[in-house]
Amino acid sequence: MFLTRMIYASTATDKFKPEDIANILTKANHYNKSKDLTGMLCFSRNFFLQCIEGSRSNVNELYQKIASDKRHSDIVVLNYKEIDERAFSEWSMAYLPESKLTSTLVLKFSENSQLLPYNLSGESAHKLIMALRDDLDLVTKS
């Protein structure tokens, strides 16, 4: 089975509450560990940007669950690619809240300093996620 990476963007609906993040992360960590999925979730204002890695079938299965979740809408796959290795092998689901998003990094890969994931190309979304991962690495290792 091929190792796959998917990056998607979505918009929080009125069914999403800020306290849902903790619930999402708890469930994602449990589910992802059971399916050997890894990745990272970013949340900014009303937008989600998420990277998921794993076998093609497990990534696709998770995407179907995400697509049916009523807490977000306008789900757009920004990047879907076969990969040689994982970028998030240490995390079943890393999380970067809005407070940790740096406008400098966002500006490096997009047209302005606010995270508007729909305005990112697939490659820019991937590079932003990797840069955010590196920042998260620095925070968690310090």
Side-chain angles (χ1 to χ4, degrees), residues 1-138:
M1 186 58 64
F2 294 105
L3 195 56
T4 303
R5 174 186 63 235
M6 179 184 66
I7 299 173
Y8 76 89
S10 66
T11 302
T13 66
D14 59 353
K15 296 190 183 314
F16 175 79
K17 306 295 181 237
E19 56 271 14
D20 286 340
I21 286 287
N23 184 26
I24 289 169
L25 292 171
T26 299
K27 286 184 178 181
N29 277 307
H30 177 73
Y31 180 84
N32 290 359
K33 283 179 185 174
S34 74
K35 297 289 187 172
D36 293 320
L37 293 165
T38 55
M40 181 171 160
L41 174 66
C42 301
F43 180 70
S44 178
R45 290 173 288 121
N46 296 321
F47 303 108
F48 295 95
L49 179 65
Q50 185 171 12
C51 176
I52 303 164
E53 308 166 323
S55 72
R56 183 187 303 157
S57 60
N58 285 347
V59 168
N60 291 343
E61 182 181 313
L62 179 56
Y63 179 73
Q64 294 303 314
K65 289 179 175 285
I66 289 166
S68 66
D69 188 332
K70 302 296 183 205
R71 294 175 290 193
H72 59 141
S73 64
D74 304 321
I75 301 167
V76 174
V77 175
L78 302 174
N79 184 284
Y80 188 94
K81 184 176 181 178
E82 291 176 0
I83 57 175
D84 296 327
E85 63 183 21
R86 296 172 190 257
F88 296 96
S89 59
E90 296 179 23
W91 295 298
S92 57
M93 186 51 56
Y95 174 62
L96 194 68
E98 181 173 17
S99 63
K100 299 291 183 192
L101 288 171
T102 65
S103 57
T104 306
L105 272 181
V106 172
L107 183 60
K108 183 176 181 177
F109 299 104
S110 66
E111 58 193 44
N112 60 52
S113 61
Q114 290 186 330
L115 179 61
L116 301 170
Y118 298 107
N119 294 343
L120 296 170
S121 70
E123 190 60 28
S124 291
H126 176 245
K127 287 181 178 181
L128 175 59
I129 289 271
M130 294 302 100
L132 292 169
R133 179 208 59 191
D134 293 345
D135 270 8
L136 188 61
D137 261 346
L138 293 174

